[in-house]
Amino acid sequence: MGILQTSQFKMPALQNYLLDHAYDEMFASAEALHPHYQLLLNHFTSLPPAELQRRKQAADLSFLNQGITFTVYGREEGTERIFPYDMLPRIITAQEWETVERGLTQRITALNLFLKDIYNEGRILADGIVPREVVYSCKQFRRQMVGLQVPRNVYIAVTGTDLIRLENGEFVVLEDNLRVPSGVSYMLTNRRVMKRIFPQLFRSYNVRPIEQYTQLLLSTLRSLAPEGRSEEPNIVLLTPGVFNSAYYEHAYLARQMGIELVEGRDLVTHDNVVYMRTTNGLRRVDVIYRRVDDDFIDPLAFRGDSILGVAGLFNAYRAGNVTLANAFGTGVADDKALYAYVPDIIKYYLSEEPVLKNVETFLCAREKDRKHVLANLDKFVVKAVGESGGYGMLVGPQSTAAQREEFARRIEADPRNYIGQPTISFSRAPCMFDDQLEPRHVDLRPYVLYGDKVSIVPGGLTRVALRKGSLVVNSSQGGGSKDTWVLS
């Protein structure tokens, strides 16, 4: 390991750099630098402030011109914003990535087996590994899927798994996102902008490519086409429309894959077959990469007031005439209460120890756990089991007494809906603020594809809690992102 002299902390760019018990992605200690960050530190600290500012403006302009924005719901001022971006890449060594890749492959394999099991034989429930009430009380459990055979037994084709690093540097799983995980377009765009803004630095590192993601996604979707439709299947991306916060991503992915971007009104079903309206008439659809939640995707099967979906879609799916990625009902496996059982699920189906551990989780539905969480609200992170995007969450150490009282009432009223986890000071990575380097908490969301094989591009979306001291990385809560470099 390379040694960084303490005197380097006296460098102007590092005057505000904080090291404490949290794992630092760049510094092993005040005297030691993780060797793979040496070149990066040298590069950024050698550039004059004016040059750094010029490159930052060039990056901002690139994001603006590409329309890379997102929508923040529930803010009066708020609406469409450029996705915040930090110029310093996060670097992961080949050895670290090998562990992450093995762990993610193991996890998606086990979760697919779990979904097949609970919607068919129910062995894991009968054996008492996962309590029936945890599954059947989940709002994302779809009784319509019971006994239904899914093409190639693939329930989850696209996963975005949130990882964090503990104080010892170990990666652990914080959340599974198995419904419509977003953010991959930011991962790809971050890389493109980074190569343009810092071409020399990028060439100096042996960074593994990620640009093949969209073609891997297309290949995965093709592999899931219904029997007899696998030669040239017609694949579409179904979006809720332009007002959805991730619409940019939907359009981007459809364009990159060369497939049609459609809304519910563009599709119609007839005799349990799905067709797309075109200027040349109806064209059959074989695979739908859907970015619409279960509740809204078919008003005949789910919410009757939805105008985003396609009437009759579930019947076409049940008849085996169209494939959806991801399948209906996958949300039961990323319920935050079910998350606590994933290590047991892996052992049950694969007879293996989990490569990537979970964060310790207390289920408020259990009386003993609930009492413990309520007694330690100022120390815990409390999450609603069905929420995402940083909503429905209490970060105890950063909360007020009134907020804790409010969450205590919510937990008592509906304990099944909440879990508690110890507040973890997960890792920080260096970020650029004007001409200063300061550490901010980061997580990592790699994207996993599961079709005829498991594919994981080396990297993912590193999300950054840009507000000083914040532990919330979600873009909807003031977070940003940075490029992730996995080294060969």
Side-chain angles (χ1 to χ4, degrees):
M1 178 175 288
I3 300 298
L4 178 72
Q5 297 300 317
T6 309
S7 60
Q8 292 212 31
F9 268 92
K10 298 176 182 176
M11 295 169 60
L14 294 175
Q15 285 181 347
N16 297 322
Y17 208 93
L18 169 69
L19 289 180
D20 58 14
H21 56 280
Y23 183 86
D24 192 275
E25 299 282 339
M26 186 162 71
F27 290 105
S29 69
E31 287 78 31
L33 181 76
H34 293 301
H36 47 282
Y37 270 91
Q38 183 73 65
L39 188 58
L40 181 81
L41 181 64
N42 292 345
H43 188 81
F44 275 86
T45 54
S46 67
L47 291 173
E51 178 60 18
L52 286 171
Q53 188 61 26
R54 188 190 69 77
R55 298 195 190 198
K56 178 69 167 59
Q57 290 173 348
D60 290 345
L61 187 61
S62 180
F63 279 104
L64 181 65
N65 289 338
Q66 294 177 71
I68 301 169
T69 60
F70 72 104
T71 304
V72 179
Y73 296 125
R75 297 277 184 90
E76 291 183 0
E77 76 279 13
T79 55
E80 202 80 357
R81 296 182 180 182
I82 298 174
F83 197 72
Y85 168 81
D86 181 70
M87 292 195 296
L88 272 74
R90 186 240 196 104
I91 302 174
I92 296 173
T93 66
Q95 185 179 11
E96 291 171 330
W97 180 253
E98 190 274 334
T99 302
V100 168
E101 193 172 42
R102 277 194 300 117
L104 293 175
T105 300
Q106 179 192 59
R107 201 166 178 101
I108 194 172
T109 302
L111 288 172
N112 264 299
L113 291 169
F114 171 73
L115 286 164
K116 176 178 182 291
D117 188 16
I118 64 166
Y119 283 121
N120 291 278
E121 301 93 341
R123 291 187 296 113
I124 198 168
L125 307 179
D127 290 341
I129 306 300
V130 177
R132 292 180 189 274
E133 58 269 25
V134 172
V135 173
Y136 295 149
S137 63
C138 176
K139 294 176 182 175
Q140 304 302 325
F141 179 79
R142 303 297 178 190
R143 299 190 183 280
Q144 298 92 330
M145 290 291 289
V146 174
L148 195 150
Q149 296 301 307
V150 169
R152 293 164 180 75
N153 292 321
V154 175
Y155 286 78
I156 316 161
V158 184
T159 307
T161 304
D162 293 342
L163 308 177
I164 57 173
R165 274 196 209 253
L166 303 179
E167 293 178 14
N168 62 5
E170 178 185 9
F171 279 105
V172 297
V173 176
L174 184 64
E175 286 185 13
D176 299 290
N177 297 284
L178 309 179
R179 283 172 275 179
V180 285
S182 62
V184 74
S185 63
Y186 300 126
M187 174 190 81
L188 296 168
T189 308
N190 285 349
R191 174 61 53 84
R192 192 164 60 248
V193 170
M194 199 66 199
K195 289 169 74 173
R196 186 180 305 159
I197 303 299
F198 294 99
Q200 189 175 358
L201 178 65
F202 186 83
R203 283 195 296 271
S204 302
Y205 278 94
N206 200 5
V207 182
R208 294 178 64 183
I210 59 171
E211 291 80 0
Q212 69 277 23
Y213 175 82
T214 53
Q215 289 310 303
L216 289 173
L217 174 58
L218 182 60
S219 176
T220 298
L221 296 172
R222 281 179 174 150
S223 74
L224 299 176
E227 296 289 342
R229 303 288 301 173
S230 55
E231 287 297 321
E232 287 294 333
N234 184 24
I235 303 169
V236 299
L237 193 156
L238 176 62
T239 174
V242 295
F243 297 109
N244 184 267
S245 62
Y247 182 75
Y248 160 78
E249 176 158 301
H250 305 163
Y252 175 89
L253 291 176
R255 185 168 64 249
Q256 294 295 315
M257 288 189 286
I259 65 175
E260 295 289 341
L261 178 68
V262 300
E263 298 181 26
R265 60 189 175 184
D266 299 318
L267 302 179
V268 62
T269 60
H270 180 66
D271 285 345
N272 290 337
V273 176
V274 181
Y275 297 93
M276 175 176 63
R277 294 185 172 94
T278 76
T279 54
N280 294 319
L282 296 179
R283 183 183 175 196
R284 180 166 176 168
V285 173
D286 302 300
V287 181
I288 299 175
Y289 177 38
R290 52 92 169 229
R291 301 297 293 262
V292 178
D293 287 335
D294 283 358
D295 283 339
F296 301 99
I297 201 166
D298 181 352
L300 297 182
F302 304 107
R303 282 186 54 162
D305 60 345
S306 173
I307 58 173
L308 300 176
V310 185
L313 180 58
F314 185 78
N315 281 340
Y317 181 74
R318 182 159 49 193
N321 292 329
V322 68
T323 299
L324 264 72
N326 291 335
F328 297 103
T330 56
V332 66
D334 73 7
D335 181 286
K336 292 181 176 60
L338 195 286
Y339 158 91
Y341 294 93
V342 174
D344 293 330
I345 290 171
I346 291 171
K347 293 174 190 172
Y348 183 78
Y349 293 112
L350 304 179
S351 301
E352 299 172 2
E353 290 295 319
V355 176
L356 296 171
K357 296 177 183 173
N358 271 18
V359 173
E360 186 180 20
T361 300
F362 295 84
L363 304 182
C364 292
R366 299 173 182 157
E367 184 178 0
K368 183 179 177 183
D369 286 11
R370 181 168 66 253
K371 288 180 178 177
H372 185 63
V373 171
L374 289 171
N376 293 279
L377 278 179
D378 59 330
K379 304 180 185 69
F380 272 54
V381 174
V382 177
K383 300 175 181 175
V385 297
E387 296 283 355
S388 60
Y391 296 102
M393 188 168 81
L394 175 81
V395 181
Q398 298 175 356
S399 65
T400 64
Q403 289 171 328
R404 291 193 291 275
E405 287 177 14
E406 170 61 24
F407 263 78
R409 281 194 293 272
R410 294 185 194 178
I411 292 170
E412 293 284 13
D414 187 7
R416 167 62 176 84
N417 196 43
Y418 290 94
I419 63 162
Q421 294 172 329
T423 304
I424 295 174
S425 185
F426 51 93
S427 69
R428 296 193 190 99
C431 297
M432 179 69 68
F433 296 92
D434 297 325
D435 59 347
Q436 292 287 304
L437 299 186
E438 296 182 28
R440 292 291 186 270
H441 291 290
V442 293
D443 76 354
L444 176 66
R445 176 178 290 183
Y447 295 89
V448 188
L449 301 172
Y450 188 102
D452 51 0
K453 61 181 179 181
V454 177
S455 302
I456 309 173
V457 294
L461 182 68
T462 289
R463 301 186 299 174
V464 189
L466 288 172
R467 284 200 289 262
K468 195 169 187 176
S470 173
L471 293 169
V472 183
V473 299
N474 305 82
S475 56
S476 56
Q477 307 291 316
S481 71
K482 57 168 61 208
D483 197 8
T484 309
W485 291 4
V486 174
L487 306 181
S488 297

